Short mmCIF file of all heavy atoms in Angstrom, two decimals:
data_model
loop_
_atom_site.label_atom_id
_atom_site.label_comp_id
_atom_site.label_asym_id
_atom_site.label_seq_id
_atom_site.Cartn_x
_atom_site.Cartn_y
_atom_site.Cartn_z
N LEU A 136 -3.56 6.01 -33.53
CA LEU A 136 -2.50 6.71 -34.23
C LEU A 136 -1.40 5.65 -34.45
O LEU A 136 -0.80 5.67 -35.53
CB LEU A 136 -1.93 7.92 -33.47
CG LEU A 136 -2.91 9.12 -33.49
CD1 LEU A 136 -2.45 10.16 -32.42
CD2 LEU A 136 -3.08 9.74 -34.83
N ALA A 141 -5.71 5.77 -39.41
CA ALA A 141 -6.14 6.97 -40.17
C ALA A 141 -5.00 7.52 -41.10
O ALA A 141 -5.20 8.55 -41.64
CB ALA A 141 -6.61 8.02 -39.18
N GLY A 142 -3.85 6.99 -40.98
CA GLY A 142 -2.66 7.53 -41.74
C GLY A 142 -1.97 8.60 -40.95
O GLY A 142 -2.29 8.74 -39.72
N LYS A 143 -1.15 9.36 -41.61
CA LYS A 143 -0.37 10.24 -40.90
C LYS A 143 -1.08 11.49 -40.27
O LYS A 143 -1.98 12.08 -41.09
CB LYS A 143 0.81 10.78 -41.88
CG LYS A 143 1.76 11.75 -41.20
CD LYS A 143 2.84 12.08 -42.20
CE LYS A 143 3.70 13.20 -41.48
NZ LYS A 143 4.93 13.41 -42.05
N PRO A 144 -0.95 11.91 -39.09
CA PRO A 144 -1.70 13.04 -38.53
C PRO A 144 -1.05 14.27 -39.06
O PRO A 144 0.11 14.39 -39.10
CB PRO A 144 -1.58 12.84 -37.05
CG PRO A 144 -0.22 11.98 -36.76
CD PRO A 144 -0.12 11.15 -38.03
N ARG A 145 -1.97 15.31 -39.48
CA ARG A 145 -1.42 16.48 -40.06
C ARG A 145 -1.73 17.67 -39.24
O ARG A 145 -0.94 18.54 -39.10
CB ARG A 145 -1.95 16.69 -41.47
CG ARG A 145 -1.80 15.45 -42.34
CD ARG A 145 -0.35 15.48 -42.94
NE ARG A 145 -0.11 14.31 -43.79
CZ ARG A 145 1.12 14.23 -44.61
NH1 ARG A 145 1.96 15.21 -44.57
NH2 ARG A 145 1.22 13.18 -45.17
N LEU A 146 -2.99 17.77 -38.63
CA LEU A 146 -3.54 18.89 -37.96
C LEU A 146 -4.43 18.48 -36.88
O LEU A 146 -5.17 17.50 -37.10
CB LEU A 146 -4.15 19.72 -39.01
CG LEU A 146 -4.90 20.97 -38.59
CD1 LEU A 146 -3.97 22.00 -38.11
CD2 LEU A 146 -5.74 21.57 -39.67
N ILE A 254 -8.49 14.89 -35.00
CA ILE A 254 -7.19 14.71 -35.40
C ILE A 254 -7.31 14.37 -36.89
O ILE A 254 -7.80 13.28 -37.32
CB ILE A 254 -6.45 13.62 -34.58
CG1 ILE A 254 -6.37 13.94 -33.18
CG2 ILE A 254 -5.01 13.46 -35.17
CD1 ILE A 254 -5.72 12.98 -32.33
N ILE A 255 -6.83 15.30 -37.69
CA ILE A 255 -7.01 15.15 -39.18
C ILE A 255 -5.82 14.50 -39.78
O ILE A 255 -4.67 15.04 -39.65
CB ILE A 255 -7.25 16.59 -39.82
CG1 ILE A 255 -8.58 17.15 -39.22
CG2 ILE A 255 -7.38 16.60 -41.29
CD1 ILE A 255 -8.33 18.51 -38.48
N CYS A 256 -6.16 13.31 -40.32
CA CYS A 256 -5.01 12.45 -40.79
C CYS A 256 -5.19 12.26 -42.25
O CYS A 256 -6.26 12.69 -42.99
CB CYS A 256 -5.09 11.15 -40.20
SG CYS A 256 -5.07 11.25 -38.28
N ASP A 257 -4.25 11.58 -42.94
CA ASP A 257 -4.24 11.34 -44.36
C ASP A 257 -5.46 10.69 -44.88
O ASP A 257 -5.96 10.87 -45.93
CB ASP A 257 -3.02 10.62 -44.86
CG ASP A 257 -1.76 11.59 -44.96
OD1 ASP A 257 -1.99 12.83 -44.83
OD2 ASP A 257 -0.68 11.03 -45.00
N LYS A 258 -5.95 9.66 -44.13
CA LYS A 258 -7.14 8.80 -44.51
C LYS A 258 -8.51 9.26 -44.05
O LYS A 258 -9.48 8.74 -44.35
CB LYS A 258 -6.97 7.36 -44.10
CG LYS A 258 -5.62 6.69 -44.85
CD LYS A 258 -5.78 5.15 -44.45
CE LYS A 258 -4.41 4.64 -44.15
NZ LYS A 258 -4.39 3.38 -43.54
N GLY A 259 -8.48 10.19 -43.03
CA GLY A 259 -9.68 10.68 -42.45
C GLY A 259 -9.40 11.26 -41.12
O GLY A 259 -8.29 11.69 -40.80
N VAL A 260 -10.44 11.33 -40.31
CA VAL A 260 -10.42 12.17 -39.05
C VAL A 260 -10.69 11.18 -37.84
O VAL A 260 -11.75 10.48 -37.85
CB VAL A 260 -11.42 13.37 -39.06
CG1 VAL A 260 -11.36 14.04 -37.81
CG2 VAL A 260 -11.16 14.15 -40.23
N ILE A 261 -9.81 11.19 -36.84
CA ILE A 261 -10.06 10.55 -35.60
C ILE A 261 -10.75 11.61 -34.75
O ILE A 261 -10.21 12.77 -34.60
CB ILE A 261 -8.76 10.07 -34.93
CG1 ILE A 261 -8.09 9.12 -35.80
CG2 ILE A 261 -9.08 9.49 -33.54
CD1 ILE A 261 -6.69 8.68 -35.30
N PHE A 275 -13.47 6.96 -36.06
CA PHE A 275 -12.69 7.27 -37.23
C PHE A 275 -13.66 7.51 -38.36
O PHE A 275 -14.42 6.63 -38.66
CB PHE A 275 -11.75 6.13 -37.53
CG PHE A 275 -11.13 6.37 -38.85
CD1 PHE A 275 -10.35 7.47 -39.18
CD2 PHE A 275 -11.19 5.42 -39.86
CE1 PHE A 275 -9.77 7.69 -40.34
CE2 PHE A 275 -10.56 5.58 -41.12
CZ PHE A 275 -9.80 6.73 -41.31
N ARG A 278 -12.30 9.46 -45.18
CA ARG A 278 -12.49 10.51 -46.21
C ARG A 278 -12.39 9.72 -47.58
O ARG A 278 -11.33 8.89 -47.71
CB ARG A 278 -11.43 11.53 -46.10
CG ARG A 278 -11.68 12.73 -47.02
CD ARG A 278 -10.38 13.65 -46.95
NE ARG A 278 -10.10 14.05 -45.53
CZ ARG A 278 -8.88 13.62 -44.97
NH1 ARG A 278 -8.01 12.98 -45.61
NH2 ARG A 278 -8.58 13.99 -43.78
#
Side-chain angles (χ1 to χ4, degrees):
L136 288 170
K143 185 173 173 168
R145 304 283 177 171
L146 175 67
I254 304 183
I255 298 120
C256 306
D257 282 347
K258 294 189 225 166
V260 178
I261 297 170
F275 171 57
R278 183 187 316 115

